[in-house]
Tab-separated table of all heavy atoms in Angstrom:
chain	number	residue	atom	x	y	z
C	13	ASP	N	116.168	-121.562	91.786
C	13	ASP	CA	117.340	-122.430	91.679
C	13	ASP	C	117.114	-123.628	92.566
C	13	ASP	O	117.478	-123.628	93.744
C	13	ASP	CB	118.588	-121.646	92.081
C	13	ASP	CG	119.893	-122.383	91.801
C	13	ASP	OD1	119.840	-123.608	91.636
C	13	ASP	OD2	120.939	-121.723	91.706
C	14	ARG	N	116.528	-124.675	91.977
C	14	ARG	CA	116.209	-125.865	92.774
C	14	ARG	C	117.476	-126.589	93.257
C	14	ARG	O	117.506	-127.105	94.372
C	14	ARG	CB	115.344	-126.846	91.970
C	14	ARG	CG	114.953	-128.087	92.750
C	14	ARG	CD	114.051	-129.001	91.948
C	14	ARG	NE	114.637	-129.317	90.648
C	14	ARG	CZ	115.572	-130.280	90.463
C	14	ARG	NH1	116.070	-130.923	91.483
C	14	ARG	NH2	116.042	-130.495	89.223
C	15	ALA	N	118.518	-126.608	92.449
C	15	ALA	CA	119.750	-127.235	92.838
C	15	ALA	C	120.331	-126.573	94.062
C	15	ALA	O	120.811	-127.256	94.983
C	15	ALA	CB	120.739	-127.242	91.680
C	16	LEU	N	120.269	-125.268	94.063
C	16	LEU	CA	120.754	-124.527	95.244
C	16	LEU	C	119.904	-124.840	96.484
C	16	LEU	O	120.437	-125.066	97.587
C	16	LEU	CB	120.725	-123.019	94.965
C	16	LEU	CG	121.020	-122.108	96.172
C	16	LEU	CD1	122.458	-122.317	96.612
C	16	LEU	CD2	120.777	-120.657	95.835
C	17	ALA	N	118.595	-124.923	96.292
C	17	ALA	CA	117.712	-125.230	97.403
C	17	ALA	C	118.024	-126.612	97.980
C	17	ALA	O	118.054	-126.812	99.202
C	17	ALA	CB	116.270	-125.186	96.961
C	18	ALA	N	118.270	-127.577	97.097
C	18	ALA	CA	118.646	-128.930	97.569
C	18	ALA	C	119.953	-128.911	98.315
C	18	ALA	O	120.100	-129.555	99.346
C	18	ALA	CB	118.719	-129.874	96.379
C	19	ARG	N	120.955	-128.158	97.825
C	19	ARG	CA	122.248	-128.067	98.522
C	19	ARG	C	122.082	-127.385	99.887
C	19	ARG	O	122.724	-127.809	100.864
C	19	ARG	CB	123.248	-127.297	97.684
C	19	ARG	CG	123.736	-128.012	96.456
C	19	ARG	CD	125.009	-127.416	95.866
C	19	ARG	NE	124.852	-125.994	95.545
C	19	ARG	CZ	124.412	-125.549	94.388
C	19	ARG	NH1	124.034	-126.396	93.445
C	19	ARG	NH2	124.332	-124.258	94.141
C	20	LEU	N	121.211	-126.396	99.963
C	20	LEU	CA	120.981	-125.703	101.223
C	20	LEU	C	120.415	-126.695	102.231
C	20	LEU	O	120.864	-126.732	103.404
C	20	LEU	CB	120.054	-124.528	100.997
C	20	LEU	CG	119.842	-123.598	102.192
C	20	LEU	CD1	119.619	-122.147	101.689
C	20	LEU	CD2	118.642	-124.007	103.072
C	21	TRP	N	119.448	-127.506	101.802
C	21	TRP	CA	118.878	-128.516	102.712
C	21	TRP	C	119.938	-129.517	103.149
C	21	TRP	O	119.988	-129.900	104.290
C	21	TRP	CB	117.701	-129.230	101.992
C	21	TRP	CG	116.413	-128.565	102.301
C	21	TRP	CD1	115.753	-127.599	101.592
C	21	TRP	CD2	115.561	-128.809	103.438
C	21	TRP	NE1	114.595	-127.264	102.198
C	21	TRP	CE2	114.434	-127.981	103.329
C	21	TRP	CE3	115.690	-129.654	104.537
C	21	TRP	CZ2	113.430	-127.969	104.288
C	21	TRP	CZ3	114.665	-129.667	105.476
C	21	TRP	CH2	113.567	-128.841	105.352
C	22	ASP	N	120.761	-129.953	102.191
C	22	ASP	CA	121.826	-130.925	102.535
C	22	ASP	C	122.770	-130.318	103.569
C	22	ASP	O	123.250	-130.992	104.479
C	22	ASP	CB	122.573	-131.336	101.311
C	22	ASP	CG	121.770	-132.215	100.384
C	22	ASP	OD1	120.743	-132.800	100.850
C	22	ASP	OD2	122.108	-132.314	99.189
C	23	GLU	N	123.069	-129.017	103.396
C	23	GLU	CA	123.992	-128.339	104.316
C	23	GLU	C	123.379	-128.216	105.719
C	23	GLU	O	124.041	-128.383	106.720
C	23	GLU	CB	124.378	-126.973	103.784
C	23	GLU	CG	125.524	-126.334	104.550
C	23	GLU	CD	126.119	-125.118	103.847
C	23	GLU	OE1	125.791	-124.886	102.658
C	23	GLU	OE2	126.887	-124.413	104.499
C	24	ILE	N	122.099	-127.866	105.800
C	24	ILE	CA	121.387	-127.783	107.054
C	24	ILE	C	121.522	-129.136	107.830
C	24	ILE	O	121.796	-129.186	109.007
C	24	ILE	CB	119.943	-127.388	106.886
C	24	ILE	CG1	119.821	-125.919	106.446
C	24	ILE	CG2	119.141	-127.598	108.179
C	24	ILE	CD1	118.418	-125.499	106.066
C	25	ALA	N	121.281	-130.231	107.062
C	25	ALA	CA	121.347	-131.557	107.690
C	25	ALA	C	122.754	-131.923	108.052
C	25	ALA	O	123.024	-132.421	109.172
C	25	ALA	CB	120.753	-132.582	106.755
C	26	ALA	N	123.713	-131.683	107.133
C	26	ALA	CA	125.094	-132.108	107.384
C	26	ALA	C	125.741	-131.391	108.567
C	26	ALA	O	126.477	-131.949	109.336
C	26	ALA	CB	125.957	-131.885	106.116
C	27	ARG	N	125.402	-130.082	108.682
C	27	ARG	CA	125.970	-129.282	109.792
C	27	ARG	C	125.180	-129.369	111.078
C	27	ARG	O	125.606	-128.820	112.089
C	27	ARG	CB	126.107	-127.820	109.339
C	27	ARG	CG	127.149	-127.638	108.236
C	27	ARG	CD	127.062	-126.257	107.587
C	27	ARG	NE	127.160	-125.146	108.550
C	27	ARG	CZ	127.047	-123.872	108.265
C	27	ARG	NH1	126.844	-123.541	106.981
C	27	ARG	NH2	127.154	-122.942	109.170
C	28	GLY	N	124.055	-130.046	111.030
C	28	GLY	CA	123.231	-130.191	112.262
C	28	GLY	C	122.735	-128.861	112.789
C	28	GLY	O	122.644	-128.665	114.038
C	29	LEU	N	122.374	-127.936	111.912
C	29	LEU	CA	121.999	-126.594	112.335
C	29	LEU	C	120.733	-126.544	113.164
C	29	LEU	O	120.573	-125.676	113.994
C	29	LEU	CB	121.845	-125.675	111.126
C	29	LEU	CG	123.085	-125.499	110.212
C	29	LEU	CD1	122.761	-124.489	109.154
C	29	LEU	CD2	124.264	-125.086	111.062
C	30	LEU	N	119.826	-127.490	112.947
C	30	LEU	CA	118.536	-127.414	113.615
C	30	LEU	C	118.214	-128.690	114.379
C	30	LEU	O	117.040	-129.024	114.623
C	30	LEU	CB	117.430	-127.127	112.622
C	30	LEU	CG	117.526	-125.750	111.929
C	30	LEU	CD1	116.457	-125.633	110.849
C	30	LEU	CD2	117.392	-124.621	112.910
C	31	ARG	N	119.185	-129.421	114.795
C	31	ARG	CA	118.937	-130.666	115.511
C	31	ARG	C	118.632	-130.368	116.989
C	31	ARG	O	119.162	-129.460	117.585
C	31	ARG	CB	120.106	-131.619	115.407
C	31	ARG	CG	120.176	-132.260	114.004
C	31	ARG	CD	121.289	-133.261	113.934
C	31	ARG	NE	121.402	-133.766	112.559
C	31	ARG	CZ	122.449	-134.463	112.097
C	31	ARG	NH1	123.429	-134.730	112.890
C	31	ARG	NH2	122.481	-134.857	110.844
C	32	GLY	N	117.822	-131.253	117.555
C	32	GLY	CA	117.467	-131.088	118.954
C	32	GLY	C	115.988	-130.787	119.115
C	32	GLY	O	115.271	-130.509	118.185
C	33	GLY	N	115.573	-130.781	120.383
C	33	GLY	CA	114.205	-130.402	120.636
C	33	GLY	C	113.173	-131.374	120.156
C	33	GLY	O	112.064	-130.974	119.826
C	34	GLY	N	113.497	-132.660	120.149
C	34	GLY	CA	112.578	-133.644	119.573
C	34	GLY	C	111.258	-133.722	120.289
C	34	GLY	O	110.192	-133.634	119.703
C	35	ALA	N	111.283	-133.874	121.633
C	35	ALA	CA	110.056	-133.972	122.395
C	35	ALA	C	109.270	-132.687	122.329
C	35	ALA	O	108.035	-132.679	122.201
C	35	ALA	CB	110.387	-134.322	123.851
C	36	GLU	N	110.001	-131.558	122.408
C	36	GLU	CA	109.313	-130.261	122.333
C	36	GLU	C	108.695	-130.058	120.960
C	36	GLU	O	107.639	-129.458	120.846
C	36	GLU	CB	110.313	-129.120	122.673
C	36	GLU	CG	110.812	-129.109	124.110
C	36	GLU	CD	111.977	-130.080	124.324
C	36	GLU	OE1	112.361	-130.793	123.361
C	36	GLU	OE2	112.506	-130.123	125.445
C	37	GLY	N	109.386	-130.536	119.921
C	37	GLY	CA	108.855	-130.409	118.575
C	37	GLY	C	107.514	-131.105	118.427
C	37	GLY	O	106.590	-130.571	117.797
C	38	ALA	N	107.376	-132.288	119.035
C	38	ALA	CA	106.109	-132.998	118.993
C	38	ALA	C	105.006	-132.227	119.702
C	38	ALA	O	103.857	-132.176	119.266
C	38	ALA	CB	106.282	-134.390	119.616
C	39	GLN	N	105.387	-131.599	120.846
C	39	GLN	CA	104.386	-130.787	121.569
C	39	GLN	C	103.923	-129.592	120.713
C	39	GLN	O	102.750	-129.291	120.691
C	39	GLN	CB	105.015	-130.281	122.875
C	39	GLN	CG	105.107	-131.279	123.985
C	39	GLN	CD	105.617	-130.650	125.257
C	39	GLN	OE1	106.765	-130.166	125.315
C	39	GLN	NE2	104.805	-130.613	126.292
C	40	VAL	N	104.873	-128.921	120.097
C	40	VAL	CA	104.529	-127.776	119.255
C	40	VAL	C	103.605	-128.161	118.164
C	40	VAL	O	102.561	-127.508	117.924
C	40	VAL	CB	105.815	-127.141	118.662
C	40	VAL	CG1	105.464	-126.137	117.579
C	40	VAL	CG2	106.602	-126.408	119.790
C	41	GLU	N	103.867	-129.283	117.498
C	41	GLU	CA	102.978	-129.714	116.409
C	41	GLU	C	101.593	-130.014	116.885
C	41	GLU	O	100.613	-129.674	116.195
C	41	GLU	CB	103.578	-130.971	115.742
C	41	GLU	CG	104.608	-130.688	114.699
C	41	GLU	CD	104.616	-131.758	113.665
C	41	GLU	OE1	104.928	-132.904	113.993
C	41	GLU	OE2	104.266	-131.468	112.503
C	42	ARG	N	101.455	-130.551	118.056
C	42	ARG	CA	100.110	-130.824	118.584
C	42	ARG	C	99.350	-129.517	118.797
C	42	ARG	O	98.145	-129.448	118.593
C	42	ARG	CB	100.182	-131.608	119.914
C	42	ARG	CG	100.536	-133.070	119.678
C	42	ARG	CD	100.258	-133.894	120.928
C	42	ARG	NE	101.123	-133.536	122.029
C	42	ARG	CZ	102.318	-134.106	122.219
C	42	ARG	NH1	102.750	-135.047	121.437
C	42	ARG	NH2	103.061	-133.751	123.255
C	43	MET	N	100.053	-128.485	119.162
C	43	MET	CA	99.423	-127.166	119.399
C	43	MET	C	98.879	-126.533	118.112
C	43	MET	O	97.980	-125.709	118.140
C	43	MET	CB	100.418	-126.228	120.049
C	43	MET	CG	100.744	-126.518	121.502
C	43	MET	SD	99.293	-126.539	122.595
C	43	MET	CE	99.145	-128.301	122.890
C	44	PHE	N	99.452	-126.923	116.947
C	44	PHE	CA	99.011	-126.353	115.695
C	44	PHE	C	97.516	-126.598	115.457
C	44	PHE	O	96.866	-125.860	114.728
C	44	PHE	CB	99.791	-126.920	114.524
C	44	PHE	CG	101.218	-126.381	114.418
C	44	PHE	CD1	102.048	-126.848	113.443
C	44	PHE	CD2	101.673	-125.402	115.294
C	44	PHE	CE1	103.366	-126.374	113.345
C	44	PHE	CE2	102.949	-124.909	115.207
C	44	PHE	CZ	103.810	-125.393	114.219
C	45	SER	N	96.989	-127.661	116.042
C	45	SER	CA	95.541	-127.974	115.847
C	45	SER	C	94.744	-127.776	117.128
C	45	SER	O	93.570	-128.179	117.207
C	45	SER	CB	95.385	-129.423	115.382
C	45	SER	OG	95.920	-130.323	116.351
C	46	ARG	N	95.348	-127.125	118.116
C	46	ARG	CA	94.633	-126.848	119.379
C	46	ARG	C	94.700	-125.364	119.717
C	46	ARG	O	95.400	-124.938	120.603
C	46	ARG	CB	95.231	-127.680	120.523
C	46	ARG	CG	95.186	-129.176	120.316
C	46	ARG	CD	95.865	-129.918	121.432
C	46	ARG	NE	95.937	-131.335	121.183
C	46	ARG	CZ	96.486	-132.257	122.016
C	46	ARG	NH1	97.045	-131.813	123.148
C	46	ARG	NH2	96.473	-133.503	121.706
C	47	LYS	N	93.914	-124.591	118.948
C	47	LYS	CA	94.095	-123.131	118.983
C	47	LYS	C	93.883	-122.567	120.406
C	47	LYS	O	94.570	-121.634	120.822
C	47	LYS	CB	93.112	-122.469	118.033
C	47	LYS	CG	93.186	-122.993	116.587
C	47	LYS	CD	94.559	-122.717	115.975
C	47	LYS	CE	94.604	-123.162	114.499
C	47	LYS	NZ	95.960	-123.015	113.911
C	48	ARG	N	92.927	-123.111	121.176
C	48	ARG	CA	92.617	-122.527	122.484
C	48	ARG	C	93.737	-122.800	123.500
C	48	ARG	O	93.790	-122.121	124.516
C	48	ARG	CB	91.302	-123.122	122.999
C	48	ARG	CG	90.079	-122.738	122.184
C	48	ARG	CD	88.822	-123.336	122.782
C	48	ARG	NE	87.660	-122.973	121.967
C	48	ARG	CZ	86.438	-123.382	122.226
C	48	ARG	NH1	86.210	-124.189	123.271
C	48	ARG	NH2	85.424	-123.025	121.436
C	49	GLU	N	94.610	-123.762	123.231
C	49	GLU	CA	95.634	-124.109	124.167
C	49	GLU	C	96.981	-123.480	123.841
C	49	GLU	O	97.970	-123.616	124.583
C	49	GLU	CB	95.823	-125.608	124.230
C	49	GLU	CG	94.562	-126.388	124.575
C	49	GLU	CD	94.743	-127.919	124.486
C	49	GLU	OE1	95.867	-128.346	124.714
C	49	GLU	OE2	93.786	-128.597	124.141
C	50	ILE	N	97.052	-122.700	122.775
C	50	ILE	CA	98.346	-122.188	122.324
C	50	ILE	C	98.971	-121.229	123.287
C	50	ILE	O	100.139	-121.381	123.701
C	50	ILE	CB	98.175	-121.480	120.949
C	50	ILE	CG1	97.911	-122.498	119.846
C	50	ILE	CG2	99.423	-120.699	120.570
C	50	ILE	CD1	97.600	-121.920	118.486
C	51	LEU	N	98.223	-120.186	123.733
C	51	LEU	CA	98.804	-119.185	124.608
C	51	LEU	C	99.294	-119.776	125.916
C	51	LEU	O	100.435	-119.504	126.329
C	51	LEU	CB	97.851	-118.032	124.853
C	51	LEU	CG	98.414	-116.855	125.644
C	51	LEU	CD1	99.646	-116.291	124.995
C	51	LEU	CD2	97.386	-115.738	125.804
C	52	PRO	N	98.480	-120.558	126.648
C	52	PRO	CA	99.006	-121.169	127.900
C	52	PRO	C	100.247	-122.007	127.656
C	52	PRO	O	101.189	-121.981	128.434
C	52	PRO	CB	97.830	-122.028	128.373
C	52	PRO	CG	96.617	-121.433	127.759
C	52	PRO	CD	97.061	-120.889	126.447
C	53	PHE	N	100.272	-122.734	126.536
C	53	PHE	CA	101.430	-123.575	126.228
C	53	PHE	C	102.688	-122.697	125.994
C	53	PHE	O	103.734	-122.964	126.546
C	53	PHE	CB	101.150	-124.390	124.956
C	53	PHE	CG	102.365	-125.104	124.390
C	53	PHE	CD1	102.848	-126.276	124.968
C	53	PHE	CD2	103.007	-124.590	123.268
C	53	PHE	CE1	103.952	-126.906	124.461
C	53	PHE	CE2	104.114	-125.222	122.755
C	53	PHE	CZ	104.593	-126.413	123.350
C	54	LEU	N	102.536	-121.625	125.199
C	54	LEU	CA	103.695	-120.777	124.920
C	54	LEU	C	104.194	-120.076	126.156
C	54	LEU	O	105.436	-119.962	126.398
C	54	LEU	CB	103.308	-119.754	123.843
C	54	LEU	CG	103.009	-120.324	122.446
C	54	LEU	CD1	102.651	-119.202	121.468
C	54	LEU	CD2	104.177	-121.133	121.914
C	55	LEU	N	103.265	-119.573	126.978
C	55	LEU	CA	103.694	-118.890	128.203
C	55	LEU	C	104.355	-119.842	129.175
C	55	LEU	O	105.327	-119.493	129.859
C	55	LEU	CB	102.495	-118.196	128.850
C	55	LEU	CG	101.877	-117.048	128.017
C	55	LEU	CD1	100.643	-116.532	128.721
C	55	LEU	CD2	102.902	-115.932	127.835
C	56	GLU	N	103.850	-121.065	129.263
C	56	GLU	CA	104.422	-122.055	130.165
C	56	GLU	C	105.850	-122.381	129.824
C	56	GLU	O	106.670	-122.599	130.698
C	56	GLU	CB	103.557	-123.314	130.125
C	56	GLU	CG	104.111	-124.457	131.016
C	56	GLU	CD	103.329	-125.723	130.841
C	56	GLU	OE1	102.235	-125.709	130.196
C	56	GLU	OE2	103.789	-126.780	131.352
C	57	HIS	N	106.152	-122.409	128.484
C	57	HIS	CA	107.475	-122.832	128.043
C	57	HIS	C	108.361	-121.630	127.663
C	57	HIS	O	109.478	-121.816	127.114
C	57	HIS	CB	107.346	-123.746	126.833
C	57	HIS	CG	106.713	-125.089	127.174
C	57	HIS	ND1	105.385	-125.240	127.250
C	57	HIS	CD2	107.278	-126.276	127.465
C	57	HIS	CE1	105.104	-126.494	127.574
C	57	HIS	NE2	106.223	-127.158	127.700
C	58	ALA	N	107.924	-120.432	127.968
C	58	ALA	CA	108.671	-119.241	127.498
C	58	ALA	C	110.073	-119.137	128.066
C	58	ALA	O	110.926	-118.502	127.457
C	58	ALA	CB	107.871	-118.000	127.831
C	59	ARG	N	110.297	-119.729	129.223
C	59	ARG	CA	111.600	-119.581	129.856
C	59	ARG	C	112.583	-120.664	129.524
C	59	ARG	O	113.752	-120.635	129.929
C	59	ARG	CB	111.439	-119.488	131.385
C	59	ARG	CG	110.675	-118.267	131.835
C	59	ARG	CD	110.523	-118.243	133.345
C	59	ARG	NE	109.775	-117.120	133.797
C	59	ARG	CZ	110.283	-115.909	134.013
C	59	ARG	NH1	111.552	-115.700	133.837
C	59	ARG	NH2	109.543	-114.908	134.415
């Protein structure tokens, strides 16, 4: 049901369900291509 999927996306955006964490989001994305640095990064930010 593509129409439902589109409405779900619109609702996520309209209700701001996942907003925030902009700077942290950029850090996480960088880790996707730095396999050796993942565990230290995750443990450092675990709290």
Side-chain angles (χ1 to χ4, degrees):
D13 190 339
R14 181 178 53 80
L16 173 65
R19 289 197 303 272
L20 188 147
W21 267 93
D22 289 341
E23 190 168 349
I24 290 173
R27 291 168 55 184
L29 299 186
L30 296 175
R31 286 184 184 166
E36 293 84 356
Q39 282 184 297
V40 166
E41 275 210 296
R42 285 195 292 272
M43 288 301 107
F44 286 176
S45 60
R46 300 178 184 178
K47 305 299 183 184
R48 294 181 180 177
E49 302 175 32
I50 289 174
L51 185 57
F53 170 78
L54 295 180
L55 293 176
E56 178 186 350
H57 293 83
R59 295 181 181 275

